[in-house]
Amino acid sequence: MIYCENLHKRFADIQALKNVSFRVDKGIIFGVVGPDGAGKTTLFRAICNLLKLDAGFIQIMNQDAASVRREQIGYMPQNFSLYGDLSVRENLRFFSALYGIEWKTAQKRALELLTFTRLHSFQDRLASQLSGGMKQKLALASALITGPRVLLLDEPTFGVDPESRQEFWQLLYALNQEGVTIMVSTPYMDEAELCHQVALINQGELVACDSPAGLKRNLRGR
């Protein structure tokens, strides 16, 4: 579903990505784990074609990443990027318009997503007045408004409470069971264990890539 080969990206004297290669199979939850500054956000932005690489090749759904229709990829950035002075419903309407989808068509999908994320009773509330966990759910709903086949989530639960993290992962599992391929970055090892495959990245380099059980077998220590 996603294939990355020999990715390189440098910012001034910082090597953000160095010879990164891996494959994300269709229909799995693929985790990218690493500390702050490891290169996770650079990697996600490159896959979304929001960042030009110095070298390397990215293929999504057997197409060059630059050729994939934008509505087939849902992207949720690390920082909350929705509009606080718009309501929950208005944010969904705005993002559907960005993709050229008429609200008359997108409205049914929006209502389904509001029910799915349990935000239906808060659809008239301003985004700025939502809790941290609810903001993340709204960001997820916005990323799903086009019905993407691939979902990229950059540290979606960072800074939210444990209960909201658990609810968010329940949503991810439900999406995955519907056939959505999910790539998610996280600094939390307990979340890494919820993924089918995990890539460990540090200082721009891929350290290991395996199932959680495989990583634990091959890495010593607790």
Side-chain angles (χ1 to χ4, degrees), residues 8-49:
H8 289 263
K9 181 62 182 179
R10 175 180 287 275
F11 298 101
D13 59 342
I14 298 174
Q15 188 71 47
L17 295 175
K18 182 179 179 181
N19 198 34
V20 174
S21 299
F22 62 89
R23 178 189 181 96
V24 179
D25 293 326
K26 182 179 180 181
I28 71 167
I29 299 178
F30 185 91
V32 179
V33 180
D36 289 344
K40 301 188 299 294
T41 296
T42 300
L43 174 62
F44 275 65
R45 293 189 60 176
I47 293 173
C48 291
N49 200 36

Coordinates of all heavy atoms in Angstrom, one line a residue, residues 8-49:
H8 N 15.8 10.5 1.7 CA 16.8 11.4 2.3 C 16.2 12.8 2.3 O 15.6 13.2 1.3 CB 18.1 11.4 1.4 CG 18.9 10.2 1.5 ND1 20.0 10.1 2.4 CD2 18.8 9.0 0.9 CE1 20.5 8.9 2.3 NE2 19.9 8.2 1.4
K9 N 16.4 13.5 3.4 CA 16.0 14.9 3.5 C 16.9 15.6 4.6 O 17.1 15.1 5.7 CB 14.5 15.0 4.0 CG 14.1 16.5 4.0 CD 14.1 17.2 2.7 CE 13.7 18.6 2.8 NZ 13.8 19.3 1.5
R10 N 17.5 16.7 4.1 CA 18.3 17.5 5.0 C 17.8 18.9 5.1 O 17.3 19.5 4.1 CB 19.8 17.5 4.5 CG 20.7 18.4 5.2 CD 22.1 18.4 4.7 NE 22.8 17.2 5.0 CZ 23.5 16.9 6.1 NH1 23.5 17.9 7.0 NH2 24.1 15.8 6.3
F11 N 17.8 19.4 6.4 CA 17.5 20.8 6.6 C 18.7 21.5 7.2 O 19.1 21.2 8.3 CB 16.3 21.0 7.6 CG 15.0 20.4 7.2 CD1 14.6 19.1 7.6 CD2 14.2 21.1 6.3 CE1 13.4 18.6 7.2 CE2 13.0 20.5 5.9 CZ 12.6 19.3 6.3
A12 N 19.4 22.3 6.3 CA 20.7 22.9 6.7 C 21.6 21.8 7.2 O 22.0 21.0 6.4 CB 20.4 24.0 7.8
D13 N 22.0 21.9 8.5 CA 23.0 20.9 9.0 C 22.3 19.7 9.7 O 23.0 18.9 10.3 CB 24.0 21.5 9.9 CG 23.3 22.2 11.1 OD1 22.1 22.4 11.1 OD2 24.0 22.4 12.1
I14 N 21.0 19.6 9.6 CA 20.3 18.5 10.2 C 19.8 17.5 9.1 O 19.1 17.8 8.2 CB 19.0 19.0 11.0 CG1 19.5 20.0 12.1 CG2 18.2 17.9 11.5 CD1 18.3 20.6 12.8
Q15 N 20.3 16.2 9.3 CA 19.8 15.2 8.4 C 18.5 14.6 9.0 O 18.5 13.8 9.9 CB 20.9 14.1 8.3 CG 20.6 13.0 7.3 CD 20.7 13.5 5.8 OE1 21.7 14.2 5.5 NE2 19.8 13.2 5.0
A16 N 17.4 15.1 8.5 CA 16.1 14.7 9.0 C 15.7 13.2 8.6 O 15.1 12.5 9.4 CB 15.0 15.6 8.5
L17 N 16.1 12.8 7.4 CA 15.9 11.4 7.0 C 17.1 10.9 6.3 O 17.7 11.7 5.5 CB 14.7 11.3 6.0 CG 13.3 11.6 6.6 CD1 12.3 11.6 5.4 CD2 12.9 10.7 7.7
K18 N 17.5 9.7 6.6 CA 18.8 9.2 6.1 C 18.5 7.7 5.6 O 18.4 6.8 6.5 CB 19.9 9.2 7.1 CG 21.2 8.7 6.6 CD 22.3 8.9 7.7 CE 23.6 8.3 7.2 NZ 24.7 8.4 8.3
N19 N 18.4 7.5 4.3 CA 18.3 6.2 3.8 C 17.2 5.4 4.4 O 17.4 4.2 4.7 CB 19.6 5.5 3.9 CG 19.8 4.3 3.0 OD1 19.3 4.3 1.8 ND2 20.4 3.2 3.4
V20 N 16.0 5.9 4.5 CA 14.9 5.3 5.1 C 14.1 4.5 4.1 O 13.6 5.0 3.1 CB 13.9 6.3 5.8 CG1 12.7 5.6 6.3 CG2 14.7 7.0 6.9
S21 N 13.9 3.2 4.3 CA 13.2 2.3 3.4 C 12.3 1.4 4.2 O 12.7 0.8 5.2 CB 14.1 1.4 2.6 OG 15.0 2.2 1.8
F22 N 11.0 1.2 3.8 CA 10.1 0.3 4.5 C 8.9 0.1 3.6 O 8.7 0.9 2.7 CB 9.7 0.8 5.9 CG 9.0 2.1 5.9 CD1 7.6 2.1 5.8 CD2 9.7 3.3 6.0 CE1 6.9 3.3 5.8 CE2 9.0 4.5 6.1 CZ 7.6 4.5 5.9
R23 N 8.0 -0.8 4.0 CA 6.8 -1.1 3.3 C 5.6 -1.2 4.2 O 5.8 -1.9 5.3 CB 7.0 -2.4 2.5 CG 5.7 -2.8 1.7 CD 5.9 -4.2 1.1 NE 4.7 -4.6 0.3 CZ 4.7 -4.5 -1.0 NH1 5.7 -4.0 -1.7 NH2 3.6 -4.9 -1.6
V24 N 4.5 -0.6 3.9 CA 3.3 -0.7 4.7 C 2.3 -1.6 3.9 O 1.9 -1.1 2.8 CB 2.7 0.6 5.0 CG1 1.4 0.5 5.8 CG2 3.7 1.5 5.8
D25 N 2.0 -2.8 4.4 CA 1.1 -3.6 3.7 C -0.4 -3.1 3.8 O -0.8 -2.4 4.7 CB 1.1 -5.1 4.2 CG 2.5 -5.7 3.9 OD1 3.1 -5.4 2.8 OD2 3.0 -6.5 4.7
K26 N -1.2 -3.5 2.8 CA -2.6 -3.1 2.8 C -3.4 -3.7 4.0 O -3.2 -4.8 4.4 CB -3.2 -3.6 1.5 CG -4.7 -3.2 1.3 CD -5.2 -3.7 0.0 CE -6.7 -3.3 -0.2 NZ -7.2 -3.8 -1.5
G27 N -4.2 -2.8 4.6 CA -5.1 -3.3 5.6 C -4.5 -3.4 7.0 O -5.1 -4.1 7.8
I28 N -3.3 -2.8 7.3 CA -2.7 -2.9 8.6 C -2.7 -1.6 9.3 O -2.9 -0.5 8.7 CB -1.3 -3.6 8.5 CG1 -0.3 -2.6 7.9 CG2 -1.4 -4.9 7.8 CD1 1.1 -3.0 8.1
I29 N -2.3 -1.6 10.6 CA -2.0 -0.4 11.3 C -0.5 -0.4 11.5 O 0.0 -1.3 12.1 CB -2.7 -0.3 12.7 CG1 -4.2 -0.3 12.5 CG2 -2.3 0.9 13.4 CD1 -5.0 -0.3 13.8
F30 N 0.2 0.5 10.9 CA 1.6 0.6 10.9 C 2.1 1.7 11.8 O 1.7 2.9 11.5 CB 2.1 0.8 9.5 CG 3.6 0.7 9.3 CD1 4.3 -0.5 9.0 CD2 4.4 1.9 9.4 CE1 5.7 -0.5 8.9 CE2 5.8 1.8 9.3 CZ 6.4 0.6 9.0
G31 N 2.8 1.4 12.8 CA 3.3 2.5 13.8 C 4.7 2.9 13.5 O 5.6 2.1 13.1
V32 N 4.9 4.2 13.6 CA 6.3 4.8 13.6 C 6.6 5.4 14.9 O 5.9 6.3 15.4 CB 6.3 5.9 12.5 CG1 7.7 6.5 12.4 CG2 6.0 5.3 11.1
V33 N 7.6 4.9 15.6 CA 7.9 5.2 16.9 C 9.3 5.9 17.0 O 10.3 5.3 16.4 CB 7.9 4.0 17.8 CG1 8.2 4.4 19.3 CG2 6.5 3.3 17.8
G34 N 9.4 7.0 17.7 CA 10.7 7.6 17.9 C 10.6 8.8 18.8 O 9.5 9.4 18.9
P35 N 11.7 9.3 19.3 CA 11.6 10.5 20.2 C 11.4 11.8 19.4 O 11.4 11.8 18.1 CB 13.0 10.5 20.8 CG 13.9 9.9 19.8 CD 13.0 8.8 19.2
D36 N 11.2 12.9 20.0 CA 11.1 14.2 19.3 C 12.4 14.4 18.5 O 13.5 14.2 19.0 CB 10.9 15.3 20.3 CG 9.6 15.3 21.0 OD1 8.7 14.6 20.5 OD2 9.4 16.0 22.1
G37 N 12.2 14.9 17.3 CA 13.3 15.2 16.4 C 13.8 14.0 15.7 O 14.9 14.1 15.0
A38 N 13.1 12.9 15.8 CA 13.6 11.6 15.1 C 13.4 11.6 13.6 O 14.1 10.9 12.9 CB 12.9 10.4 15.7
G39 N 12.5 12.5 13.1 CA 12.2 12.5 11.7 C 10.8 12.1 11.3 O 10.5 11.9 10.2
K40 N 10.0 11.8 12.3 CA 8.6 11.3 12.1 C 7.8 12.2 11.3 O 7.2 11.8 10.3 CB 7.9 10.9 13.4 CG 8.7 9.9 14.3 CD 7.8 9.5 15.5 CE 7.5 10.6 16.4 NZ 8.7 11.2 17.1
T41 N 7.7 13.5 11.7 CA 6.9 14.5 10.9 C 7.4 14.7 9.5 O 6.6 14.8 8.6 CB 6.8 15.8 11.7 OG1 6.2 15.6 13.0 CG2 6.0 16.8 10.9
T42 N 8.7 14.8 9.4 CA 9.3 14.9 8.0 C 8.9 13.7 7.1 O 8.5 13.9 6.0 CB 10.8 15.0 8.1 OG1 11.2 16.1 8.9 CG2 11.5 15.1 6.7
L43 N 8.9 12.5 7.7 CA 8.5 11.3 7.0 C 7.1 11.4 6.5 O 6.8 11.2 5.3 CB 8.8 10.1 7.8 CG 8.3 8.8 7.3 CD1 9.0 8.4 6.0 CD2 8.5 7.6 8.3
F44 N 6.2 11.8 7.4 CA 4.8 11.8 7.1 C 4.5 12.9 6.1 O 3.7 12.7 5.1 CB 3.9 12.1 8.4 CG 3.6 10.8 9.1 CD1 4.6 10.1 9.7 CD2 2.3 10.4 9.3 CE1 4.4 8.9 10.4 CE2 2.0 9.2 10.0 CZ 3.0 8.5 10.5
R45 N 5.1 14.0 6.2 CA 4.9 15.1 5.2 C 5.4 14.7 3.8 O 4.8 15.1 2.8 CB 5.5 16.4 5.7 CG 4.9 17.0 7.0 CD 5.4 18.3 7.3 NE 5.1 19.3 6.2 CZ 5.4 20.6 6.3 NH1 6.0 21.1 7.3 NH2 5.2 21.3 5.2
A46 N 6.5 14.0 3.8 CA 7.0 13.5 2.5 C 6.1 12.5 1.9 O 5.8 12.6 0.6 CB 8.4 12.8 2.7
I47 N 5.5 11.6 2.6 CA 4.5 10.6 2.1 C 3.3 11.3 1.6 O 2.7 10.9 0.5 CB 4.2 9.6 3.2 CG1 5.4 8.7 3.5 CG2 3.0 8.7 2.7 CD1 5.2 7.8 4.7
C48 N 2.9 12.4 2.2 CA 1.7 13.2 1.8 C 2.0 14.1 0.6 O 1.2 14.9 0.2 CB 1.1 14.0 2.9 SG 0.4 13.0 4.2
N49 N 3.3 14.1 0.2 CA 3.7 15.0 -0.9 C 3.6 16.5 -0.5 O 3.4 17.3 -1.4 CB 2.9 14.7 -2.2 CG 3.6 15.2 -3.4 OD1 4.8 15.1 -3.5 ND2 2.9 15.7 -4.4

